[in-house]
Amino acid sequence: MSHVPSRVLVTGAAGRLGSEVLRVLAAQGAAVVGLDRVDPGGVETFFTGSAADTALVAEAMRGVDAVIHLAAIPRPTLGTPEEVFVGNTAATFVVLDQAARAGVRQAVIASSLSIIGLPFSPTPAVPHYVPVDEAMPFQIADPYALSKQADEATAAMVARRDGMAVVALRFPMLGELDFLAENAELFRVDPGAGAPSLWGYLDMRDAATACWLGVTAEVSGAHALYLAAPDTLSPYPTEELVDRYLPGTPRHAPLPGRTVPIDTSAAQALLGFTARHIFEVTPAELGES
């Protein structure tokens, strides 16, 4: 059973994912409050500024019954280590703390596959095993991944303290069709370039749908969930990619064909989420690369 929020605050509303989330919310008939540093227009109620601004967030939270928190510096290279870690974690704390104070009962926050520590690792790293799942230990060595770990800890704290349900969506690489096509070609020419991200992806439309499911599903407590399309963005067999580019990584389950080495069963079980927009990649033999 699910409930439908009547008024949703979306932080990072002007971003690529935020813009798609606004379209999903409009299609669902939910009233939207947007918050971002830049007003993209088209949102009836919009607050311009930082998601770490307590007074601004408190004002934006009035009358809201669900929150989708997407505002963040999305890569460790887009700011100093202090800006990335402190900025991201401060925004998440302020948004969730103010949501709890306003009586909001359900929230989604954008986490990341990067939390495992591979995508932005300053040194070579391989996962403890594949497919990656929520039980796998982290190998964090960069401020962005560390900020996501802190964000998820904040979600767990608010869930315990205030009884708010918080779903942290561990997104893989997100993209629209042109972006996915560029990366599919990159992974064809240089398969190793996709290893840190486990060759995974998710269409931006599916990511936005997952956000909606996160604020409408009947859940309690804090949950962190991996998401991905079922197949990789690489044309080569996953088992061969793992052998070549993630040497020595144990396999806890078979990875036939181009199966993504990310276990998304928890998101399916909790939210009923299944990726629907699959990027068409023509399979190939790894020896062709």
Side-chain angles (χ1 to χ4, degrees):
M1 188 175 179
S2 63
H3 69 280
V4 179
S6 60
R7 187 174 174 87
V8 183
L9 172 63
V10 180
T11 72
R16 291 164 62 218
L17 178 54
S19 299
E20 193 63 44
V21 166
L22 295 184
R23 283 189 278 273
V24 168
L25 293 175
Q28 295 292 338
V32 175
V33 178
L35 188 152
D36 209 327
R37 294 182 183 275
V38 177
D39 184 348
V43 181
E44 184 175 347
T45 306
F46 198 92
F47 293 84
T48 305
S50 169
D53 183 332
T54 302
L56 181 69
V57 171
E59 186 178 358
M61 206 68 69
R62 292 176 184 168
V64 163
D65 56 357
V67 171
I68 299 174
H69 173 53
L70 308 175
I73 298 174
R75 300 174 66 89
T77 55
L78 297 179
T80 66
E82 294 83 1
E83 288 169 341
V84 172
F85 177 76
V86 176
N88 286 358
T89 56
T92 299
F93 181 85
V94 167
V95 168
L96 292 183
D97 183 59
Q98 289 302 313
R101 293 173 187 274
V104 173
R105 305 313 303 162
Q106 197 141 337
V108 160
I109 65 171
S111 189
S112 172
L113 176 70
S114 300
I115 199 169
I116 64 176
L118 272 64
F120 300 114
S121 177
T123 57
V126 298
H128 293 287
Y129 54 81
V130 290
V132 167
D133 61 19
E134 289 79 9
M136 195 182 78
F138 303 144
Q139 303 178 61
I140 291 171
D142 71 88
Y144 177 72
L146 186 63
S147 77
K148 293 306 179 184
Q149 185 181 28
D151 287 351
E152 291 188 8
T154 299
M157 181 275 290
V158 170
R160 283 190 296 269
R161 187 191 69 182
D162 304 295
M164 184 192 301
V166 187
V167 177
L169 299 175
R170 293 178 178 172
F171 291 119
M173 179 174 67
L174 302 180
E176 303 83 358
L177 291 178
D178 288 349
F179 179 85
L180 296 177
E182 291 174 9
N183 281 276
E185 176 61 15
L186 171 62
F187 296 168
R188 183 190 69 79
V189 174
D190 179 13
S197 62
L198 303 177
W199 304 277
Y201 78 95
L202 193 65
D203 187 289
M204 200 69 74
R205 293 167 291 181
D206 284 326
T209 297
C211 291
W212 173 250
L213 292 174
V215 293
T216 57
E218 197 68 32
V219 299
S220 60
H223 302 269
L225 306 170
Y226 286 111
L227 304 176
D231 292 335
T232 70
L233 203 55
S234 167
Y236 308 114
T238 303
E239 297 273 8
E240 296 180 27
L241 291 171
V242 171
D243 286 343
R244 181 176 293 191
Y245 299 105
L246 303 174
T249 301
R251 289 172 202 162
H252 286 188
L255 296 167
R258 294 175 35 250
T259 300
V260 70
I262 302 168
D263 184 348
T264 61
S265 60
Q268 167 65 37
L270 189 71
L271 305 182
F273 174 78
T274 301
R276 299 189 181 280
H277 297 88
I278 310 303
F279 188 84
E280 294 297 328
V281 177
T282 302
E285 296 299 323
L286 192 54
E288 297 175 15
S289 62

